[in-house]
């Protein structure tokens, strides 16, 4: 009994687990500690993550790299990074994260901004996946409803080379409210 107590306490005191989950994830991401991100998501992430499919270490690494790229190119502040991590790595719905952000000491960016960063990161993730399985081209697909703006409509159905993709020009997001995705073109 005593040994168990000591073990539990030790586990809690481990610096990796001393911060709230999302704060820890933000710190790890800013520092680029890929292995720590994998460890955190594989262990503690399970109870925080509602995804039904197993979150493999390869998938975690791909997501982590995509988030890091987005963080650098979009020059994200901590609030934006926390929001992006909540949707891209904790797989939360963008509309459901404001309380989580508040609980972790962050203020919530606008939903529009969160969606934009989510689309940005999805594109990076898809491009990395396509490259890793040898897919050379991708096709742009808008969600196809009446809300698609003229900018995005212009890109719909266009095909581009994976290794020449430029976000904002040949890959989504194309606008601030972009919900376009890219699909593999075989
Ligand atoms: Zn779009």
């Amino acid at each position: 009994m005593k040994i168990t107590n000591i073990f539990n306490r030790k586990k809690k005191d481990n610096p990796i687990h001393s911060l709230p989950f999302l704060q820890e994830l933000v710190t790890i991401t800013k520092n680029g500690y890929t292995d720590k991100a994998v460890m955190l998501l594989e262990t503690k992430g399970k109870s925080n993550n509602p995804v039904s499919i197993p979150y493999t270490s390869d998938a975690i690494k791909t997501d982590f790299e995509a988030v890091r790229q987005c963080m650098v190119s979009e020059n994200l502040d901590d609030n934006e990074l926390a929001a992006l991590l909540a949707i891209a790595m904790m797989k939360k719905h963008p509309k459901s994260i404001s309380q989580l952000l508040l609980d972790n000491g962050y203020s919530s960016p606008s939903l529009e901004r969160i969606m934009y960063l989510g689309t940005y990161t999805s594109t990076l993730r898809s491009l990395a996946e396509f490259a890793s399985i040898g897919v050379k081209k991708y096709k742009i697909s808008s969600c196809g409803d009446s809300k698609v703006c003229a900018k995005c409509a212009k890109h719909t159905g266009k095909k581009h080379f994976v290794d020449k993709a430029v976000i904002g020009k040949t890959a989504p997001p194309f606008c601030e409210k972009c919900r376009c995705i890219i699909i593999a073109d075989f």
Side-chain angles (χ1 to χ4, degrees), residues 17-155:
H17 298 301
S18 60
L19 286 174
F21 186 79
L22 185 55
Q23 285 184 25
E24 185 63 37
L25 201 50
V26 166
T27 306
I28 285 171
T29 309
K30 283 162 81 175
N31 287 302
Y33 297 144
T34 311
D35 292 346
K36 282 188 185 175
V38 170
M39 199 175 87
L40 190 69
L41 267 299
E42 275 187 339
T43 54
K44 227 179 168 187
K46 282 202 178 103
S47 55
N48 285 281
N49 192 330
V51 284
S52 52
I53 50 161
Y55 203 10
T56 64
S57 58
D58 278 349
I60 294 170
K61 279 180 195 165
T62 305
D63 282 348
F64 189 69
E65 279 315 308
V67 168
R68 295 244 320 144
Q69 271 188 57
C70 181
M71 174 186 81
V72 173
S73 29
E74 287 288 296
N75 197 20
L76 302 189
D77 64 28
D78 282 10
N79 298 319
E80 292 171 324
L81 180 58
L84 177 57
L85 285 166
I87 62 166
M89 305 206 67
M90 294 168 76
K91 311 294 179 189
K92 307 277 187 201
H93 192 277
K95 282 183 182 164
S96 75
I97 62 171
S98 46
Q99 192 58 48
L100 174 74
L101 291 171
L102 282 180
D103 290 347
N104 279 271
Y106 301 105
S107 60
S108 187
S110 70
L111 186 60
E112 205 171 275
R113 178 67 175 158
I114 297 170
M115 300 293 278
Y116 175 87
L117 298 175
T119 300
Y120 198 117
T121 305
S122 296
T123 297
L124 291 174
R125 176 197 293 137
S126 298
L127 288 170
E129 280 168 2
F130 297 164
S132 76
I133 56 169
V135 171
K136 299 265 186 286
K137 291 183 98 176
Y138 63 89
K139 192 167 119 181
I140 294 158
S141 172
S142 72
C143 71
D145 64 21
S146 56
K147 286 183 195 158
V148 175
C149 72
K151 245 185 210 171
C152 290
K154 218 174 60 185
H155 291 280

Side-chain angles (χ1 to χ4, degrees), residues 152 172 174-175 178-180:
C152 290
F174 301 113
C175 73
C178 192
R179 293 162 299 147
C180 297

